[in-house]
Amino acid sequence: MFDVNRVLVAGVLAIAVACAAGGISRAAASPVDATLANGMHVVVVRNRLAPVVTTSLVYGVGGIDDTIPGIAHATEHMMFRGTDDVSSDQFANIATRMGAQYNAETTTIATRYYFTVPASYLDVVLRLEADRMQRARMSANDWKNERGAIEQEVKAHESNPLATALKKMNDAFYGDSPWGRDAVGTVAGFQRMQASDIAAFYKTWYHPNNATLVVVGDVDPQRVLASVQQWFGGIAAVPVPAHPALPLAALPNSTIAQKVDFPISFAVEAFRLPGFAAPDYAATRVLFAALDDGRGALADLSLNGKALAAVGISTAYRDGGAATFVEAPLPGTPAKTGLADLDAVLAGYAKTGIPSELIADAKARLLASQAYEAASIPGQAQEWSEARAIVHRSPSEFYQELERVNADDVNRVMRTYITDGAHIALALEADPSAAMPSSNAAMAKENVTIKADDAVALPTWTDAYFSAPLQAPRDDDRATTFKLANGMTIAVREERFSPTFVVRGAIQNNPDLYEPRGKEGVAQIAAALMPLGTTTYDAKAYEAQLDAIAASVSLGTSFAAQARAQDFDRTIALLADGELHPGFAPDRFAVVARDTIRSLAAVANRPETKADLARLYALYPPNDPHRRHATAASASAVTLADVRRWYAFAYRPDLTTISVVGDVAPERVKAVFEKYFGAWKAVGKKPSMAYPPIKHTQRPSSTTIASNTSKQSDVTLTERVPLHHGDDDLVALDVANTMLSGEGTGSMLFRDVRKAHGYVYSIDSNLDVGDSGATFLVEFAADPKNVAAAQRTAYATIERLRRLPPTAQDLALAKAMLLSNYTVSLDSYSAVASTLLDDVEHGVNDNDVTRYYRRVLAVTPADVQRAMRRWIDPKRFTRVILAPSAP
């Protein structure tokens, strides 16, 4: 079904067809799939990848059930505001103590709450979820504060310049129906909404017979089922209303044309599709996997230089769905040209059918992906949640349907629902903003106050889980690290749960230091060319090789691969071919260079671009290499010879680090990498990646950039900090930053700026430490009228850590969060590979990890205060605001 939220994400084009998993992991036990006497569905899947568990609790209520626009979304928010038994502060502190990664989402048809925690804390999560299923407290005071925050979320959503036009298309697709609502809600809806309205909505829908609980992780399924029965079994079932019917009337052929404040145009076409209860659903999934193939006609639009990008997206509900095709034409090209391109692609497929090889490869990828999902505990939980709670069947049933799909089914679906179907078209014509920045010499003096928090006592029942003293993780010697003769460093961690593997790789490089003057952008053009063919295969032939083994590879200075263990050798051979033998064909260079130049010109006047540059200019002095950036003019000077010289300089084995995680032995990894990467040689002296010392004192400043589309102000507060890896205070600052924003709803900034006042929807802080120094930043979004108050409150929170030692409770929670985060970071092959790559790049081994966490445990309140007072000072912060234009 056409869904405006999906099309808004990442400027429309980052969306891809979601693939469910396929193929059984050899180590997976049979899932427990049960229904309690009160009607609650329960699925438990054992996954021993890591001592981690993910819970996903899905309620069958969403935006279509709103009695006031956004009330399902508001209920989701208020579910974190505490219950009759556990206050919101206690809930947040319990989650922090567990090191939980947790959140929720409201969609058109469902609301999902999810936790990922160390497996030993599963009972705590079950108890919390059962408590708020029955006793969520929807107080007027809590809603007063939460309303301000949720309105910021809506305004951020509405700030997308495509939002208004896509909402028109959504309305045309659904007509006068609840299915056309945006599940996010509206400011007007929240303004008229009372806490009593939310409480009534909650009491209508939040019942066990309208819920599905999925538990995936290193657990005993039968014991989990007994715990679920203990905490949820006594909750009574309550009849829930029927959902409104989905409108399935034929679409009127129509085109909506509108100008949009965006640097490029968009062309969108939407058709009706069968829903997931229809016999044709599996064929629809194969169809869109085939349409999204890099060898297909949609990909040709960008590959051949006719468009920046083009994708096909499918959305499905029970009784119907939607096919949405999107093209971003080249800058300066009208949207109607994009519509003509899409029509030509669809007409071509109607005439000749989808190529059989694309259908076969798409089906193989879908079926192979179950093994990939088994290599991620949260991913497997998400898969089962969607399958069991939304589609009301198991993933295996879907894979059985996929097995039966043939080419005739796929082409029949294409012709029946798309090429012969009525549709709605949307032509969004570019109308770039010309907003200019306004700057002040220094920002206004802030009034900083100190407010001590009262300690929050946790419920006594948590003592059984949290009474044991915190301990640093044990040394983990499962990673094997070795170097090839050419200087490549490779780290391997063998994991046998899923018969798959992932590769993560990085080549140290620094375009700021080494791109030729006046040719900034050569690194960007080289990276864009890397996926477009090698000296062995052109782009389509390379994609065909990957499709043949259902593998994925990405190329560049950051590269990756994922495939089944049986295809390890072939995957690494293809990865090496892509990294070591890029084609850099002249015709491809011409297309990529032209598109890069046009794109840089199109975004140059965007407020977001100006805000990014303002941050750099505020932090770094003139002529500092941090300030270098590509422009249309500098990219225009880049030649194919420049690209080849850059590749020869920047792509070096002695600057390359690789991690491999999965069902492959270290000795096999070493042999295969030596075979395919061993002949790669570095030329010339290895360059240093360190920036020169900055002989410049940062001064406080404020810059405001006006944006015609923003509905709220995006604020970034930044300080340059002369801190490096290995500095004594770094661990204490990591702990401090965790207290400030790393603990989710329990963090100090969240409590002070959002929970207490509702000034913002979210607020974050970050300490980014590199080889050449560090930056500390705080960023948030707020109504313009609340910017000063939000900033003042954030500064007061930071100043409190500078002037007063943190409370013992806050310090203990931050330490627990950091320790549990380490455990939770092992929840997938991909996460382990990324962590392993980062550690090896920075010279961190398993013993260093243990030593780091021992240092975390040794941090005292005085250490935190001293480090904050020494390194962080809000009086030095620069401020950049991306603000709505004056009406």
Side-chain angles (χ1 to χ4, degrees), residues 438-449:
S438 60
S439 297
N440 300 317
M443 62 181 154
K445 184 177 179 180
E446 300 293 335
N447 294 318
V448 179
T449 60

Side-chain angles (χ1 to χ4, degrees), residues 189-204:
F190 295 130
Q191 287 292 333
R192 59 179 271 225
M193 202 179 294
Q194 302 298 316
S196 57
D197 299 318
I198 302 171
F201 189 85
Y202 163 77
K203 291 175 182 177
T204 299

Side-chain angles (χ1 to χ4, degrees), residues 757-780:
H757 299 288
Y759 291 144
V760 303
Y761 174 66
S762 64
I763 183 167
D764 190 32
S765 65
N766 183 57
L767 178 67
D768 184 13
V769 183
D771 295 333
S772 303
T775 55
F776 178 79
L777 67 83
V778 175
E779 52 189 350
F780 60 85

Side-chain angles (χ1 to χ4, degrees), residues 727-736 818 852 855-857 859 864:
D727 284 352
D728 290 341
D729 284 333
L730 182 56
V731 175
L733 286 175
D734 284 343
V735 173
L818 283 168
Y852 171 81
R855 290 182 64 193
V856 167
L857 291 176
V859 168
V864 172

